Amino acid sequence: MLGETLALLAAAAYGCAGVSIVHSKTTAQGDNGVFLSVVITLIASGVLWLGWGTTSAVTLKSAEGLWAAAFFALAGFASNIFGRQAMYRATEKIGAVRAGLLRRLIPVFALPCAYMLLSQIPNWRTVLGGAIVIAGVVFYMRPSLNLSRRLPSIGVVLGLLSAAAYALAYCLRAAGLRTVPDAALGTLVGASIAVVWFMYTTMVRHGVRQGFWYLTSDRTPAHWRTAIALSAGQLLQFFALKFTSVATVAILGALEVLFSAALVLLVSRCEAVEIKKLLLASAFAALGTALLVVG
């Protein structure tokens, strides 16, 4: 129950972040706050680990700890570098709701990854609940399914890459948590890798002065909102993996698109939202979520 609740809160945070990315792109001068969001994740995970962490960093020096650290680092590379950048760019190009639809392919990628890396096979309630959740999302987004006509090809490609990267990150994080069950430490390792990577590659490409400006120029309220929401979503997902399966976390993430649609309807109005379809799709999602919790 706790794992499913954390996964739902993570979906809500990602939904908020998607809408905020659309708002912030109009004032972006550099990377639209991607680096800022990773730094916030690094700080938040560091504070959580120092205050409530259950594992010492010394543990990572053991043989099993080194394997866990490697999994955490690879998960950070997949989610914070590839997944996050692709999500930002896809959302900028095709909007929060449509990008959220493409991210719902995460369960498709996550299930085979979980089977190969973790030997996790979902039970029938998880499969049925996931199918109902995804059916509700697809029903609401049905007009946007004709991607070849409605969406720019680059936005579709980036959305698919983001989904694949996050799915791989789910499985890598879960693998690391098996030997070092400290979600805050795992997030800290992944975020540290991403910060170093962004600083090195950007400054090599643009030079130290211009590269630093590119990474730090976008700090408007919208950029801060996005960074905080994404960091919260990632941390919540990481903790959710301690209490439930990769399949459940990935499938509950499908609710992100409904959270995005609700925010657009009630607050932003930057995209068209059909109220009746949203309510029906939400009912499907609620039923599917109930089955997931029971499962």
Side-chain angles (χ1 to χ4, degrees):
M1 183 66 180
L2 178 58
E4 286 80 4
T5 300
L6 293 174
L8 283 171
L9 291 174
Y14 275 116
C16 294
V19 176
S20 188
I21 289 172
V22 175
H23 287 168
S24 64
K25 72 175 182 178
T26 58
T27 59
Q29 303 179 66
D31 68 350
N32 196 15
V34 176
F35 182 73
L36 175 64
S37 71
V38 177
V39 171
I40 294 297
T41 300
L42 175 65
I43 295 172
S45 59
V47 170
L48 285 173
W49 175 61
L50 290 173
W52 298 274
T54 58
T55 306
S56 169
V58 177
T59 305
L60 298 181
K61 294 183 179 181
S62 65
E64 290 187 347
L66 288 174
W67 275 109
F71 281 125
F72 292 148
L74 289 172
F77 202 90
S79 62
N80 291 321
I81 297 174
F82 286 109
R84 189 168 298 198
Q85 284 194 104
M87 183 197 69
Y88 262 79
R89 304 310 170 220
T91 305
E92 290 169 357
K93 292 180 179 299
I94 61 181
V97 177
R98 290 177 177 177
L101 171 64
L102 290 176
R103 278 170 52 78
R104 293 319 98 222
L105 293 174
I106 290 177
V108 177
F109 293 110
L111 291 176
C113 287
Y115 175 74
M116 290 185 291
L117 294 176
L118 305 169
S119 300
Q120 289 187 357
I121 302 176
N123 59 35
W124 70 269
R125 288 190 181 89
T126 300
V127 173
L128 179 59
I132 294 174
V133 170
I134 294 173
V137 174
V138 172
F139 170 76
Y140 171 71
M141 294 303 300
R142 187 170 47 188
S144 297
L145 290 179
N146 191 354
L147 301 177
S148 62
R149 295 182 182 180
R150 292 180 177 271
L151 303 181
S153 58
I154 185 63
V156 175
V157 171
L158 290 171
L160 291 172
L161 287 175
S162 178
Y166 274 111
L168 179 60
Y170 286 158
C171 300
L172 291 169
R173 288 170 185 166
L177 288 171
R178 283 185 167 184
T179 53
V180 179
D182 193 324
L185 179 59
T187 306
L188 178 62
V189 171
S192 300
I193 292 295
V195 167
V196 172
W197 174 268
F198 278 126
M199 292 180 65
Y200 174 76
T201 57
T202 304
M203 291 180 183
V204 167
R205 187 167 62 249
H206 297 288
V208 174
R209 184 175 179 180
Q210 185 66 21
F212 182 78
W213 177 89
Y214 180 83
L215 292 174
T216 61
S217 59
D218 293 327
R219 291 179 292 176
T220 67
H223 292 114
W224 281 102
R225 285 195 301 270
T226 304
I228 293 171
L230 281 177
S231 300
Q234 181 170 336
L235 285 167
L236 287 165
Q237 281 185 337
F238 217 149
F239 278 96
L241 289 170
K242 290 185 63 176
F243 303 102
T244 189
S245 69
V246 168
T248 299
V249 173
I251 294 170
L252 283 175
L255 295 173
E256 173 199 335
V257 68
L258 298 181
F259 285 118
S260 293
L263 284 172
V264 169
L265 175 65
L266 299 174
V267 180
S268 174
R269 300 188 181 276
C270 58
E271 301 175 43
V273 177
E274 300 179 55
I275 300 176
K276 291 182 179 180
K277 291 182 65 177
L278 176 61
L279 293 175
L280 185 56
S282 298
F284 271 95
L287 176 59
T289 301
L291 284 174
L292 281 170
V293 172
V294 173

